[in-house]
Amino acid sequence: MPVSEAAPKGIDPRGPRFAASLTAVLLLIATFFALTGLSTARGAASFVPGGVVVDPTAWALPALTVAQRAADPGFVLVLVIALLFLWGVVSPQTHPWSVLYRRAIQPRLAPPTELEDPRPPRFAQGVGLFVTGVGLVLHLAGVPWALPIAAALAFVAAFLNAAFGLCLGCQLYLLLQRGGLVGRAA
């Protein structure tokens, strides 16, 4: 029986950085749409006997229906990003950015000098899902500025990972691991 080589226990750390760069671009666009969309709009219209009164100082978002809030382009893009975060938590190997990295980028690079534990980047995907999810729920609830703030926070985290290799979600994972709240020390 031939002896096969054991599969490496870890992931190429350049993969999550590549994914973070694509995610950062999407989040920057989403933040722009959220800032220019319904979440920050003023001029709520209210119906009164005999006509419509527009209050230019009131937030428009609370006066809209849930369907109107959900149709906002910023909401739709943040929802897509949140679904990508969910995909990264549930099945990181089949996530589109992982597949793109493994098929198009990694073959052109030298093998990684060291591998990293896949749990912190997966946890970071969960943190991104949580942050964008809170923004989505608050937006649907009619809270002005919730969506652009959530998208901007997620953008900052993705940008730090992409540009400097600083994964805030990974750091949070390691902090929680030291406290004995998640995972076991490797």
Side-chain angles (χ1 to χ4, degrees):
M1 183 189 255
V3 177
S4 62
E5 249 182 68
K9 294 188 178 202
I11 59 171
D12 183 346
R14 300 169 295 187
R17 283 187 77 175
F18 172 75
S21 63
L22 296 177
T23 303
V25 170
L26 286 178
L27 283 164
L28 184 61
I29 296 166
T31 302
F32 172 77
F33 281 133
L35 283 171
T36 59
L38 299 174
S39 189
T40 60
R42 296 267 189 171
S46 52
F47 297 98
V48 295
V52 176
V53 175
V54 176
D55 181 0
T57 62
W59 296 108
L61 191 64
L64 300 173
T65 66
V66 173
Q68 289 171 318
R69 295 174 196 159
D72 181 32
F75 177 86
V76 173
L77 187 51
V78 174
L79 178 63
V80 168
I81 294 166
L83 291 173
L84 285 168
F85 280 134
L86 178 63
W87 195 340
V89 170
V90 174
S91 181
Q93 291 297 319
T94 64
H95 188 279
W97 304 159
S98 294
V99 172
L100 180 62
Y101 177 76
R102 281 194 318 274
R103 291 191 181 161
I105 307 298
Q106 193 176 29
R108 291 166 170 68
L109 301 174
T113 56
E114 57 187 50
L115 301 176
E116 78 175 6
D117 183 356
R119 294 175 297 176
R122 189 174 194 171
F123 182 83
Q125 291 288 304
V127 172
L129 174 62
F130 177 77
V131 169
T132 55
V134 167
L136 291 167
V137 169
L138 291 177
H139 179 81
L140 286 178
V143 178
W145 284 90
L147 190 64
I149 289 172
L153 288 172
F155 165 74
V156 168
F159 176 79
L160 287 173
N161 191 359
F164 304 109
L166 175 61
C167 175
L168 296 179
C170 300
Q171 295 302 314
L172 180 59
Y173 178 87
L174 296 174
L175 189 73
L176 293 172
Q177 186 180 46
R178 279 189 214 116
L181 299 174
V182 296
R184 293 186 176 153

